[in-house]
Amino acid sequence: MALPPHETESADGPHIPGRPGQEVPQLEEPTTPREPLPPKQDQSGPEVYSPTGAPADADPEVRAQSGAYLTTAQGLRLPDTDHSLKAGERGPVLLQDHHLREKITHFDHERIPERVVHARGAAAHGVFRGYGTASAVTKAAFLGKDIETPVFVRFSTVLGSRGSADTVRDTRGFATKFSTTQGTFDLVGNNIPVFFIQDAVKFPDIIHAGKPHPDREIPQAQSAHDTFWDFVSLHTEATHHTLWNMSDRGIPRSYRMMEGFGIHTFRLVNEQGGTTLVKFHWKPRAGVHSLMWEEAQIAGGVDPDFHRRDLADAIEAGAYPEWELGIQTFPDTPEQTFEGIDLLDPTKIVPEEWAPVQPVGLMTLTANPSNYFAETEQVAFHPGHLVPGIDITDDPLLAGRLFSYLDTQISRLGGPNFAQLPINRTHAPVNDMLRDGMHQTALHTGVAPYHPNSLDGGCPFQAGAGAGGYVEVPLAMNPQAAKVRAAPASFDDHTSQPRRFWLSLTPIEREHVIAAYTFELSKCYENTIKERNLRVLADIDPELCSQVAAGLGLPAPEPSAPLAQVDPSPALSQLGASWPVDGRVLGIIADENSDLAALARLRGTALENGMVPLVVAPHGGELAGGGAAPVVVQRTFANARSVEFDALLVSGVPAEGDDAYGARDVKAGQGLSSEGTDPRVLLLLSEAYRHSKALGAWGGGGDVLSAAGCPEGLPGIVVDDDPGTVLARVTDLLATHRVWDRFPTAAFHS
């Protein structure tokens, strides 16, 4: 159920997300000095803690800029920042211009190295509330009943640079920082539960293969090129992850509609010292949904910020994203396997039908960052940030990540004191005996930063388990183990789990996988790489292989071994259930001839149901007429594209806009025409139709749908005289995200 929007109704009607500032700006440049405007109500900074974890009784905005006048970094007021200090109006610039030097020097150093992976991200603040259901398996305090813990979550793409697009086909990062009373716990995962590799020593290889070719620095943020497919076809432990990435999971509809996974198997410890192996899952309340491939391509062009805008707008509109944290638990046996699956292999999953995901808490994201750089860019995650009750296992990929993340933060954030940045500060007291270093902001006291000491009274003292100390589980080591560079035989199966994933998908999802492989491999130059990847697909499923081979114009090879005999796992499919419609975006196409009073009522109902209704009209500003109150326009026929809407409604028969001609807007010259209807509306509707979105109309709008090739009677087309009835039926269709039965699948899937 959606929470109320952050902002109340204003003179122009209910608040639509996207307003850039707290106040509507005045037309002329303001000249009367005033204090800085506060952040918008949907924004928040990190809670105020000292560099050493002491809570401060202060508003988070205490760190913000203050004062009505422009100053230097030292607080010196400045009369001018538009002109350098010169020897006369046309003279040379003087070296003594301290303001010029400070301003330019800081500008020259504004950028820090972007992350090698996960460079492009978006983030939000929120709160996690424990259910208490995990108390039997872990003593981690933040999972206790009704314990609330501040969180900061960063979503990201893996391959692209900071300037790449959101909607590329890629794995997404899902990293959560829990600021618990016992210290910081970072759950650093992805939206895909398995990884490309089994051992961290291969991480540079897979990333180098996936990144742009080093000679031309293309292609950006995509895997559809030779080096990637060369590597994964030779290193077949990547097959399972690759198949997930070629599925709809690789192009999520929204960060809000994305699962998250801890990937590795961790070890939980309870109050009695008992241990349990565990895998972490984030389950979105909104369901798991994806974009169509064409939608992703369109969005990458018309709105490269599609996902980060969607997340921020949903929070601003009060449709707070929610996820349940769940755990799959397994006995902690010496073999560390479950039903024949090696739990230390990060390329494997355990089907949820075999080990159900048990909910242990709810995370709600409630506030956008107030500054992207200070929070989203500078946040530092590390799998080694643990709390009592959560321990690691001997997963060889996790071992490398424990080193890599810490090393990366030191490089990116200028030294070892990155934990003192406001977004990274722990909410637990710190007495670490770590001193000095670049960007040290804590004012340490005492003379004895060593242990043991007597000059500082022996402080700090070591804490045993009874005092909340973190004690690693004392596991016995095999005294006969030899030092080897090898993996256990259980790591050698690279086909049975990909085959289970394929068999678990619905026919429409399989069609999308076939299309993705065909598209990606068609972008490879070398036929040998295409042929080698077809060999990999042949060992997963003959139909998958033959369909991709047909698209590539190549023969389909035979499997190299008998196909794995596995049962499907229905939990791996995204389809088949219904979900809340909170935060779904409705486009309402209208003009001055529409029934504006009915339109206003419909918008109000949509807002009450947690959706975001956007009016799409021939022009910006307002629609007025018929004696009804004016209706504010959020999109126009010129700037709207179908990808930003989950469903479209047509109010009446909107007329052509004054700019509906090809020289002004090429979308108006598409050849789609119907007397009196803007061709861009027909394009908008036809795109949404082929992307399996629900469409509705009233007041003559059914004729517009017919002109767009979407007549009443086809699946997902709703036409009625009553706008309220149309909205209700379209809302029901939105619960399953798309109208999946609109287009038949190929005969071989039936």
Side-chain angles (χ1 to χ4, degrees), residues 186-204:
D186 286 345
L187 183 54
V188 194
N190 288 334
N191 75 319
I192 291 176
V194 291
F195 215 69
F196 278 113
I197 52 176
Q198 296 168 325
D199 193 305
V201 75
K202 297 301 296 179
F203 194 70

Side-chain angles (χ1 to χ4, degrees), residues 542-560:
E543 291 291 353
L544 170 61
C545 179
S546 65
Q547 292 295 316
V548 175
L552 298 175
L554 295 171
E558 294 296 319
S560 64

Side-chain angles (χ1 to χ4, degrees), residues 514-730:
I514 292 168
Y517 269 105
T518 306
F519 174 88
E520 295 259 327
L521 292 174
S522 72
K523 293 291 185 177
C524 293
Y525 183 87
E526 300 292 350
N527 264 347
T528 52
I529 291 177
K530 301 175 189 177
E531 293 166 358
R532 194 189 308 134
N533 278 282
L534 289 174
R535 291 182 185 177
V536 175
L537 296 183
D539 288 336
I540 298 174
D541 187 85
E543 291 291 353
L544 170 61
C545 179
S546 65
Q547 292 295 316
V548 175
L552 298 175
L554 295 171
E558 294 296 319
S560 64
L563 297 175
Q565 298 301 303
V566 293
D567 295 323
S569 169
L572 296 177
S573 171
Q574 294 184 181
L575 309 185
S578 296
W579 296 274
V581 297
D582 294 15
R584 302 297 175 88
V585 181
L586 289 177
I588 309 173
I589 301 169
D591 68 357
E592 278 83 358
N593 297 315
S594 300
D595 184 341
L596 300 184
L599 177 57
R601 290 193 297 272
L602 183 137
R603 290 183 73 247
T605 302
L607 286 164
E608 290 172 2
N609 290 336
M611 294 181 284
V612 179
L614 303 179
V615 175
V616 187
H619 56 77
E622 295 180 341
L623 297 178
V631 173
V632 178
V633 174
Q634 284 81 39
R635 300 290 187 273
T636 68
F637 297 165
N639 70 15
R641 289 300 291 265
S642 63
V643 292
E644 65 179 314
F645 306 109
D646 294 296
L648 285 169
L649 308 178
V650 185
S651 174
V653 183
E656 286 194 15
D658 292 339
D659 56 351
Y661 53 95
R664 176 73 65 83
D665 184 352
V666 295
K667 298 193 300 300
Q670 292 283 318
L672 297 170
S673 62
S674 176
E675 185 176 349
T677 301
D678 195 299
R680 295 167 298 181
V681 170
L682 304 181
L683 176 64
L684 193 66
L685 294 169
S686 64
E687 278 184 353
Y689 177 80
R690 68 173 181 262
H691 297 152
S692 296
K693 296 180 180 179
L695 303 174
W698 62 89
D703 294 337
V704 180
L705 290 177
S706 295
C710 324
E712 183 180 5
L714 295 179
I717 306 299
V718 179
V719 179
D720 195 275
D721 293 335
D722 177 30
T725 299
V726 173
L727 177 62
R729 291 172 59 189
V730 167

